[in-house]
Amino acid sequence: MIKRFVIAVVGFALVALTLGAVKVAQIKGAGAPPQPVIGVSTIDARSETWNPTISGIGTIAPVQGTSLSTEVEGTVTKINFENGQMVHAGDVLVEMDTSVEQAQLKAAEANLKWAKLSADRANELVQKNTISQAEVDQANAQYAQALATVTGLNATIAKKTLRAPFDGRVGIRAVNLGQFVSRGSPIVPLQKIDQLFVNFTLPERDIQKLKVGETVNISVDAFPNRTFEGKVNAISPEVDAATRNISVQAILDNPDELLRSGMFARVALQLPEGEPAVVVPATSVAYAAYGNSVFVVEKMKNKEGKDYLGVRQQFVKLGDKRGDLIAILDGVKSGEKVVSAGVFKLRNGMPVQENNTVQPTSNVAPTPANT
């Protein structure tokens, strides 16, 4: 019984060894499976001269703008404007009840008239030595006091008449007829928006590039396909110690009043000097945490020494981006052929086949259709 068991085990081991040897021989004879050829779009890297830009974000503000309010309290009796109306400097916007002040003014004017007559009479009598100098001084003081009372009442009445301090467009009023308003209550905003400021910040490292009068291109979300041009108007003399940014102000014309104060703005400051750069489509770049790279298409040799068209992964240093294009500061030379689409499926040394029937867009100022 034991003899039969030993014979069966030995026979099973011999069969297993034979099958393993046959499989190893098959694998050695077949060799490694061929690497698949990937179809990719390619493009030649080219050299272009771009005027460098400095980008920042900011806020649009009026050249002149305020929220008009009252200096005295009172009841609104007249509103002389419509919401959103253009007004001119000196236009009466709101009038408040001045009946009490007008009555006080009449009494003060009568008192002023009597005080002036008394002062004039006293000045005549003192020439005849009929009254003392003290009586003359008292009469003149009473006249001055009466004049001050009239002046003060006129000022109070004037403050109850709200006038536009400059030309501009009013907003939506915050008061109604018959409403009692207290001192300092907001009445209506007034903005002069035919010219606007754009206040933005830039990193302190860009201070040496800033200059008053440089051109800035401004874009806003309300008009995504339009760029507004302005000029640098002022540069802050100090850097914010918390953010290490410097404040810059640009001014631009807004004759159509398309832009409004408070809008979020993207600012691109155009610098005068040009820098040559190698540019490729942004779709050519494989972005990764360990480094960005492109795939250069070139002739390669396999293990058997045969030529094939393959890709070489080249790590690059990226520069500015303009539209569909991105600048390569280091890693790619002008004229080198790079993969423009399909980089996500490539590995270093992989064989490829060019198929340029469809190419991604490579426009420095693309205008895609509104979808």
Side-chain angles (χ1 to χ4, degrees):
M1 191 71 180
I2 297 174
K3 184 177 180 181
R4 288 180 182 177
F5 178 75
V6 172
I7 292 172
V9 172
V10 172
F12 179 77
L14 289 173
V15 171
L17 290 173
T18 303
L19 291 175
V22 171
K23 193 64 177 177
V24 171
Q26 288 177 348
I27 293 174
K28 288 183 178 179
Q35 207 171 4
V37 177
I38 304 297
V40 295
S41 299
T42 63
I43 194 170
D44 291 336
R46 64 181 187 269
S47 179
E48 290 188 1
T49 300
W50 285 357
N51 287 331
T53 61
I54 304 174
S55 298
I57 56 175
T59 302
I60 295 177
V63 171
Q64 284 186 306
T66 186
S67 178
L68 300 179
S69 59
T70 62
E71 295 185 52
V72 293
E73 60 185 20
T75 302
V76 177
T77 56
K78 284 185 181 181
I79 298 176
N80 301 319
F81 67 91
E82 296 295 332
N83 292 337
Q85 177 185 333
M86 281 293 300
V87 297
H88 301 285
D91 287 353
V92 175
L93 302 180
V94 173
E95 297 179 45
M96 292 190 293
D97 180 37
T98 59
S99 56
V100 174
E101 288 80 4
Q102 292 288 355
Q104 292 173 345
L105 178 62
K106 288 181 179 179
E109 287 176 340
N111 186 48
L112 174 65
K113 185 176 181 181
W114 173 82
K116 187 175 187 309
L117 290 173
S118 298
D120 291 343
R121 188 179 301 111
N123 286 314
E124 290 178 2
L125 293 175
V126 76
Q127 299 295 330
K128 301 176 183 178
N129 296 322
T130 306
I131 61 175
S132 66
Q133 185 62 41
E135 292 175 302
V136 175
D137 294 340
Q138 183 179 5
N140 288 332
Q142 289 175 343
Y143 170 69
Q145 185 177 7
L147 181 61
T149 301
V150 171
T151 303
L153 286 170
N154 280 323
T156 301
I157 293 171
K159 287 182 179 181
K160 287 196 170 185
T161 302
L162 186 66
R163 297 178 181 272
F166 51 83
D167 295 350
R169 188 176 296 279
V170 294
I172 299 173
R173 58 183 168 88
V175 296
N176 296 302
L177 282 175
Q179 180 177 342
F180 180 83
V181 292
S182 23
R183 180 182 303 175
S185 297
I187 301 296
V188 65
L190 176 62
Q191 304 276 334
K192 182 178 176 65
I193 56 175
D194 55 348
Q195 261 194 337
L196 292 169
F197 287 138
V198 181
N199 300 317
F200 58 101
T201 57
L202 294 174
E204 63 176 5
R205 65 175 178 271
D206 294 325
I207 290 179
Q208 60 179 346
K209 303 175 185 177
L210 299 177
K211 185 179 178 182
V212 173
E214 296 288 358
T215 301
V216 293
N217 292 326
I218 296 131
S219 59
V220 296
D221 291 338
F223 303 97
N225 298 322
R226 182 165 178 177
T227 300
F228 301 87
E229 186 175 293
K231 299 287 185 182
V232 173
N233 179 62
I235 301 170
S236 174
E238 63 178 353
V239 174
D240 190 319
T243 63
R244 304 304 177 188
N245 289 336
I246 186 169
S247 297
V248 186
Q249 186 180 80
I251 189 170
L252 72 157
D253 293 327
N254 186 39
D256 299 328
E257 297 186 357
L258 297 178
L259 303 178
R260 300 298 172 97
S261 63
M263 278 184 167
F264 172 82
R266 297 177 183 86
V267 181
L269 179 63
Q270 301 288 337
L271 301 180
E273 68 275 9
E275 295 181 354
V278 176
V279 298
V280 297
T283 53
S284 297
V285 181
Y287 298 94
Y290 54 81
N292 304 316
S293 61
V294 299
F295 286 91
V296 180
V297 179
E298 58 188 13
K299 290 289 185 180
M300 294 184 171
K301 291 184 180 293
N302 58 18
K303 294 180 180 180
E304 289 77 23
K306 294 182 180 180
D307 292 335
Y308 73 98
L309 190 65
V311 291
R312 170 174 54 87
Q313 187 175 17
Q314 178 64 51
F315 288 93
V316 295
K317 181 180 179 182
L318 302 180
D320 292 340
K321 185 178 180 182
R322 303 279 179 91
D324 300 321
L325 300 177
I326 191 166
I328 304 294
L329 303 181
D330 186 37
V332 176
K333 298 178 181 179
S334 178
E336 287 188 315
K337 186 172 291 184
V338 299
V339 176
S340 58
V343 296
F344 63 91
K345 56 186 176 181
L346 298 179
R347 295 191 306 274
N348 192 37
M350 180 175 285
V352 295
Q353 182 180 6
E354 292 184 70
N355 182 2
N356 293 324
T357 54
V358 178
Q359 279 278 13
T361 57
S362 56
N363 192 341
V364 71
T367 54
N370 186 2
T371 58

